[in-house]
Amino acid sequence: MAQPFRLSRGGRIDRTRPVRFTFNGRTVEGVHGDSVASALLANGIHLVGRSFKYHRPRGILSHGSDEPSALLSVDRGPGRIDPNNRASVVEARDGLKTLSQNHWPSLEHDIGAINDLLSPVFVAGFYYKTFMWPKKFWDRVYEPVIRAAAGLGKAPAAPDPDRYANRHAHCEVLVVGAGPAGLAAALAAARTGKRVILADEGPEPGGALLHETSAEIDGRPAAEWLDGALAELDSRENVILLPRTTAFGYYNHNHVALAERITDHLPNPGTAPRERLWQVRAGEVVLATGSHERPLVFSDNDRPGILLAESVRVFLNRYGVAPGRRIVFATSGASAYTAALDAKGAGLAVSLVDLRAEDECGPELVELRAAGIEVLTGHTVIGAKGGKRVTGLVVAPADRAGRCGAHRLLPCDCVGMSGGWTPAVHLFSQSRGKLGYEATIDAFVPGTSAQAERSAGAAKGTYDLAACLAEGDAAGAAASGSAERRRFTASPTLTGFRPVRAMPTDADPAKVRAFVDFQNDVTAKDIGLAVREGFRSIEHVKRYTTTGMATDQGKTSNMNALGIVAGKLDTTLPSVGTTTFRPPYTPVTFGTLVGPARHALFDPIRTTPIHDWAESHGATFENVALWRRAWYFPKAGETLHDAVARECKAVREGVGIFDASTLGKIEVVGPDAAEFMNRLYINPWLKLEVGRCRYGLMLKEDGYILDDGVVARVAPDCFHVTTTTGGAARVLAHMEDYLQTEWPDLRVFLTSTTEQWAVIALQGPKARAVIAPLVGGIDLSPEAFPHMAMRSGTICGVPTRLFRVSFTGELGFEINVPSDHALAVWEAVHAAGEPYGITPYGTETMHVLRAEKGYIIVGQETDGTVTPDDVGLSGMIAKAKKDFVGKRSLVRPDVVAAGRKQLVGLVTDNPKLVLEEGAQIVDDPGQPIPMRMLGHVTSSYWSPNCGRSIAMALVADGRALQGGSLHVTTPEGFARVTVVDPVFFDPKGKRIHA
Amino acid sequence: MRRFSLSSLLSESLKGHRGWGRQWRDPQPKPAYDVVVVGGGGHGLATAYYLATVHGITNVAVLEKGWIGGGNTGRNTTIIRSNYLYDESAALYEHALKLWEGLSQELNYNVMFSQRGVLMLAHNLHDVQSFKRHIYANRLNGIDNEWLTKEQCREFCPPLDIGESLRYPVLGGALQRRAGTARHDAVAWGYARGADARGVDIIQNCAVTGIRRDASGAATGVETTRGFIRAGRIGVVAAGHTSTVMAMADVRMPLESYPLQALVSEPIKPVFPCVVMSNAVHAYISQSDKGELVIGAGTDQYTSYSQQGGLHITTHTLDAICELFPQFTRMRMLRSWGGIVDVTPDRSPIIGKTPVENLFVNCGWGTGGFKATPGSGHVFAHTLATGTPHPINAPFTLDRFRTGRLIDEAAAAAVAH
Amino acid sequence: MLLIACPHCGNRPETEFRCGGQAHIARPADPAALSDEQWAEHLFVRANPRGVHAERWCHAHGCGRWFNALRDTVSDRFLETYPAGAQPSHSTDVRA
């Protein structure tokens, strides 16, 4: 295509490097340096989308990230489709596919446009008033229709093949925005040698200087000054300049988040990440975020071809594109005059309509007329003509009271409108700085800072170029502790405007459709309706009408909405208030925020030294806390049930080997170690002999069980504490908290040794025989090394703390060895056990074997509401101890009251039926709903050694119900059970002492 | 009160919608009320509404320091469900859910209660056991909740990844079909309109600065930024600010106020048919009527009244969302915000009397109060009207922290929200 | 994310720390002597101030030490941090 609207010269584009992309399947040709918006305009394409609610034709309003209307889906290949991209932000490149949104069957002919005819019904909040009858229609008819109509683009359907990166950075000075103020700030800071990060959302730093073709700075063309500034920043090692990087969130204590877009603009991204999250902790922040132009609110101000005035100027000067050949500028201020002059200079037919009276205007008026441009002062815009493209503007003289004179039609194919300027105070507001209303520029501007931060330039309401430069320089110098200030000379900037809320009109109000929020289709009338219905806080108006809640978050609409509300309430802007600015400044992909934190990197995976052996021996794994634990070791063709039955039998009849390395381990050392243990556990510790073990139970201060585990006294001043797998960190933190803050006088040191000791559990009648040849320095005989003893010695020549303990009820050892040697020891023990049929087993078998013995698992039998007495362990409480953590709570009224749930065993009438864990228990299954529940099943298994199913449960007053019948829920109904003692196997406990 | 209906909407559309009146008045405070409700959120407004409609008490003021519905009511992710474990909680939330089911008609205000189903995902064997415990308990309490295999989860929620490459693969889920979402603002506005129409004064921009007590210690009224207001009874429903308000009557509360964050994506065409919650990986997600993905994040670890939390809380939540729904990495976060949630030691609410005569409190809803709004207002209105708790809120006393009769759903199941 | 000055290590990001709630609540010397009300008060009642708050932090992923801080819960600004067992130099009664 010939790009009929491309100017023959000018702009920061490279006409020798064409790019081709598609828009709705049609090939569009642009040039290097184009945005998708500028390339579309170069080809005369203005209709680029349909609006959210009324499906009105919409075009390109802006050149920047404030664009509310021109939203496109962008297709970068399989899995790389994403919706709602602003055409003004997407850089044109070869091979890009872009699609307009929210229409059917096509952009040109959209059935949804019927909504526009029904717009008198679809006013603000209409949905709160209807769709209530008949009631059942809501789910089936109304809501699906509403939902189908809502939303803009389509969500990506396939997983995203791109990757995302994350980086933390520190600097003394972070400058946000590389326009004149930001560049001056960065230069001033950089010259002090401080570390500076300068971030700008655009592909090219420079901000307004990129389209400043007539202004001069320090006697040089602005573009030359810009080149010089960038060259200097680039040459300094202490400066990181980040283009395409949006500072989107300003958090506590100068934590600022930036989103850098790395590859979307590249035809061949290679292996680089698509985007990167920068989390910057800055000593000082300079916000030079610029300002946004306000649209004018008049009838049909949303027609394609109607742009912001400054955006017209940007397309002309920066992209070398004429958005039309016959342009009418409509304004209430001076800045549009500059745009009009530039348009005239580009050879276009230009006229200008100014709401301000002749005497309100400044020198710009004379200048424009001198250039031969027709200027109608004291004129309002009654409305726009045209449908899918503006064809003319109806204007009329209007006095200050809003009375309109004779209409006149100004034919045109483009309108540049300007209702003044709004400083971009978003980040300042996010930093919790207090905004103040500045009447002279009709804007909220940064007031008192809450953090180490300064605003400069247009973000602060300073629009004159020389003043912006000076303010930026001062901010950058102050932020880096320098007293030096520079002076700048620059061409004067045309500033000043008359605040206008909705343009005066004499049209029938019923026929006026003057848009305030272009994307959400909110009109001035909608805002009036909300106020009439009693919504007076701007937050209420926003929520009721949805103004400012679209993807642009109201960058172009908020001040107009606020002004209209203030007008309706006959009050001032500050008394209506401003809505709170929330992160992000512009939308940020989830991918940027997530970075690489997926799958294996979502959470660390902890594995034991024996993990690879288990994997190579066919283990199936389960996730327990962060650990991967071997769940069971199926042989070919075995199910979980088969494998567990085999493993269970093997342990009780021969010997099994189990990786218990995930157990938490804490070394408690010091002269007061026993006293410390005494205060933390319910058990007594002072008299525990060296070389002996004790099962310890620990409570939270509220009296509920926190954790359990075997503890060995290694020396008078040293305890080897074990914890549950999931509880290790929690228990250590709990111990440290009490030690440091409650009992700092105790001489105790705590060290986590979970990673240092691997634990190999060897369980079964043959266990002693297996390790006997491998152990050195320890007498393994039952007399010398009884159950619940611990000895230090060697195994396979490796130092070990050998525990004679059992979580299975069998003769058992837990071999603690340094992790580096664990695999070798494991393999040696396994080899030594082969003559005895040694069987590796996993956590499932461990669970079954301990349930056969009625041993509890914290987190399964207990749930954070269970006391020692509830699980039948109150006998472990050291009676002589005056106090321990949690003791006082055990005598609270409800904790000693009757009816608490107690641990019992359950056997089903049908021995083959395995109850579901979590199943509820009742005494009478025939009672009406809601039923009185007595408790629930905490553990339930097929017990190969008992030859039947077994279960443990917490049941109200359960210990008194021994021998009685209860009923347990099953998927089909109820099963009858008998309450029994929870020890199902070897109740006398003989085997453990073998 | 002008009735809302399709016909009134159509007739107004022919008249430029000039005929709609205010949805609620903007009255000056009277010197005295039978009941003063402190806090104009959903719970406070519902309390006033049911005081008027159920108990005939209309000389009521709702005092709101900002704008109604501006606290947690307008900041939450609108998840509504009742599949709680303990009888006490189940009764309370099921009471609310039943009210939700007729609320649009009751209020003549479309609160868009959408029973899209809430699916809670199990990622480990402990989750499975815990969810079955809930399902069976719910069944015996007459509350729907069912177990889905992971394949059924995927069928119910097609964007869900049930593959094994997840760090914590999905093992299955518990689904409450009657659960869902609603339009949060509409709940506040609908109750406000209904209460106002029955004579309740809704007074915005009116902060309570003190609670006046007589010689016997009984509360007699509230000092406000708009003067003293005498009150027969005072109901404090101030969510995150409860500690501060109760301190005015020298009542110290077992509460801590934390920032809770949430976010929405840009709006997209319907892609997400239900609500999915995963406590194991900390993800809560649904899609609103407007097309935004609504995502709940967690609380920060420190107390704060700033309505702003750390970015790491947000990113952690999105890690989980993108882990479960890998196609959403290209979606964009549009807006994030924070609320202030008041959390009790057992994470269940406190609804009832205080040690001060005539002073009642409804607080401690933590991260999950929105779903209870109608039920909470209903039982609290009963408590304020009669001076005694409704059977449903009777267990939710302040005294339970003394006796130890806690209602700790989270300890029982590691379930928040 | 907060920036927290560990008294032992200096400024570090919040993610290295664990917050331990209200500070200066000493465990009673003889809990058994307390009434149920007093014990419940100790366990559960918290100042939860809107304003300056004395709170406990642990530099869990650093030196591992517990310390105290004064922070304004409205602005989240730290007034000071100080070692466990010490008293703050600012008053904690501000707006409490």
Side-chain angles (χ1 to χ4, degrees), chain A residues 85 120 160 588 599 604 863 916, chain B residues 17 132 136 323 332-333 411:
Chain A
N85 290 274
D160 185 352
V588 178
H599 298 347
D863 66 5
E916 281 200 287
Chain B
H17 297 273
K132 295 217 164 152
Y136 281 122
E323 177 78 346
R332 296 192 196 91
M333 174 167 83

Side-chain angles (χ1 to χ4, degrees), chain A residues 52 79-85 102 120-121 123 126-132 135 138 143 147-153 155-160 162 164 250-252 257 274 279 430 432 529 532-537 539-540 543-544 549-551 553 582-584 587-591 593-594 597-599 602-605 622-623 625-626 628 631 704 859-860 863-865 892-894 916-920 922 929-931 933 936-938 969-971 973-974, chain B residues 4-6 9-10 13 16-18 20-24 67-68 74-75 85-87 101-102 104-105 108-110 112-116 124-126 129 132-133 136-137 139-142 165-169 181 183-186 189 204 263 265-271 281 287-293 295 302 306-309 311 315 318-323 326-338 401-406 408 411-412:
Chain A
F52 187 68
R80 292 188 167 97
I81 299 168
D82 45 323
N84 302 346
N85 290 274
N102 204 35
V121 181
V123 291
F126 77 98
Y127 29 78
Y128 299 126
K129 295 181 170 127
T130 183
F131 304 130
M132 290 177 279
K135 188 177 163 185
W138 172 249
E143 193 187 24
R147 281 179 177 266
L152 287 167
D160 185 352
D162 282 327
Y164 299 82
Y250 197 137
Y251 299 89
N252 267 314
R274 181 186 177 216
Q279 300 197 56
Q430 286 181 29
R432 305 195 205 174
L529 173 63
R532 215 156 49 241
E533 291 196 84
F535 296 90
R536 307 228 150 156
S537 156
E539 288 285 354
H540 274 163
R543 285 156 180 266
Y544 192 64
M549 297 186 80
T551 62
Q553 291 284 285
R582 300 283 183 190
V588 178
T589 63
F590 291 0
L593 295 164
V594 168
R598 309 254 320 271
H599 298 347
F602 176 79
D603 253 353
I605 299 174
E622 70 162 329
N623 285 309
L626 293 176
R628 285 272 156 81
W631 189 14
Y704 301 124
Q860 186 154 351
D863 66 5
T865 66
R892 288 184 294 168
D894 193 64
E916 281 200 287
E917 291 174 349
Q920 294 287 331
V922 298
I929 281 174
M931 292 194 185
M933 285 170 259
H936 75 283
V937 174
T938 59
T969 56
T970 64
F974 288 91
Chain B
F4 289 162
S5 67
L6 182 59
L9 182 68
L10 289 176
S13 71
H17 297 273
R18 295 258 142 219
W20 299 116
R22 305 198 52 161
Q23 296 195 4
W24 55 86
W67 36 283
I68 60 168
R75 294 167 186 273
L85 177 65
Y86 290 123
D87 297 348
E101 286 174 326
S104 292
Q105 289 72 28
N108 180 232
Y109 209 102
N110 192 349
M112 304 185 193
F113 179 45
S114 173
Q115 294 182 290
R116 346 180 24 80
N124 55 54
L125 299 176
H126 181 265
Q129 181 196 353
K132 295 217 164 152
R133 188 177 168 195
Y136 281 122
R139 189 173 101 192
L140 301 189
N141 270 324
S165 59
L166 267 62
R167 175 66 180 85
Y168 302 106
T181 57
R183 174 89 185 104
H184 51 14
D185 293 327
W189 300 340
Q204 302 184 84
L263 64 104
S265 75
E266 294 182 336
I268 40 167
K269 291 293 178 191
V271 67
V281 297
Q287 188 173 16
S288 74
D289 281 338
K290 276 156 56 184
E292 298 161 336
L293 296 175
I295 294 168
Y302 51 85
S306 64
Q307 297 190 331
Q308 188 191 66
L311 177 64
T315 58
L318 288 173
D319 291 352
I321 295 296
C322 293
E323 177 78 346
Q327 63 276 50
F328 288 164
T329 49
R330 298 184 90 88
M331 292 297 303
R332 296 192 196 91
M333 174 167 83
L334 172 60
R335 187 167 63 246
S336 65
W337 63 91
F401 300 100
R402 179 186 65 83
T403 64
R405 194 172 182 77
L406 305 186
D408 200 336

